[in-house]
Amino acid sequence: MTDETSPDLRSVELTRIGHARFKATNARGGETFFGTGGEDPDFTPVELLLVAIAGCSALDVEAITHKRVSSTTYDVHAEGRKVRDEHGNHLVDLRVTFDVRFPDGPDGDAARERVQGAMEMSRDRLCTVARTVQLGAAIDYEQVSRS
């Protein structure tokens, strides 16, 4: 059982809102929706994983590179191939691509010089999502009601 008063705890609640559609709510009241990716525009869980990886690193890289000047372009692309093999369903060939541009001048030059190192720090140390995927983590499944 987890200590629900721990400041380190992160959690979300899921509520079924339709056939193969769910609403996710975080502790601050934010909401997003997901499903199987059929006719509705909702993200699939795999797409949300890619969002989480790219988003976590995007925030890291922005925090590091935008200390002196804001970017003029900041786009991040994440992709992976879904496969089914002897390990079951999973993603391979995960890739996060940054297109970050800064204005001309010394501040822009300083920010540009930090992008590669910032991406590496995010991948290797800072991004909780990417680090969890890279290192792997056990997941316990528990049924709390049986009615």
Side-chain angles (χ1 to χ4, degrees):
M1 198 74 179
T2 61
D3 176 7
E4 295 189 19
T5 62
S6 170
D8 297 333
L9 181 67
R10 304 295 186 268
S11 67
V12 295
E13 298 295 328
L14 305 181
T15 303
R16 185 174 173 269
I17 59 170
H19 177 69
R21 292 191 70 213
F22 289 82
K23 174 178 78 171
T25 307
N26 66 22
R28 296 173 308 285
E31 298 177 344
T32 193
F33 302 88
F34 68 95
T36 57
E39 296 296 317
D40 60 67
D42 300 337
F43 283 82
T44 68
V46 170
E47 291 166 338
L48 288 173
L49 177 62
L50 292 173
V51 167
I53 292 168
C56 182
S57 288
L59 290 168
D60 289 341
V61 172
E62 181 184 48
I64 294 167
T65 60
H66 286 68
K67 289 182 177 173
R68 295 181 71 183
V69 66
S70 290
S71 62
T72 56
T73 299
Y74 198 102
D75 297 317
V76 183
H77 173 82
E79 66 184 25
R81 285 188 318 106
K82 184 177 176 185
V83 298
R84 180 183 303 197
D85 60 18
E86 66 275 5
H87 303 290
N89 295 339
H90 60 107
L91 293 175
V92 297
D93 301 331
L94 289 166
R95 176 188 305 261
V96 180
T97 306
F98 285 79
D99 180 7
V100 184
R101 300 174 194 188
F102 297 94
D104 291 333
D107 288 343
D109 293 342
R112 268 187 291 285
E113 290 175 11
R114 302 215 55 198
V115 172
Q116 184 64 39
M119 289 187 315
E120 292 169 4
M121 282 193 296
S122 181
R123 179 197 63 212
D124 298 340
R125 187 170 56 91
L126 298 176
C127 176
T128 302
V129 178
R131 297 300 301 147
T132 302
V133 170
Q134 291 169 342
L135 297 173
I139 302 173
D140 294 327
Y141 285 75
E142 175 183 330
Q143 182 178 356
V144 295
S145 63
R146 298 179 195 267
S147 54

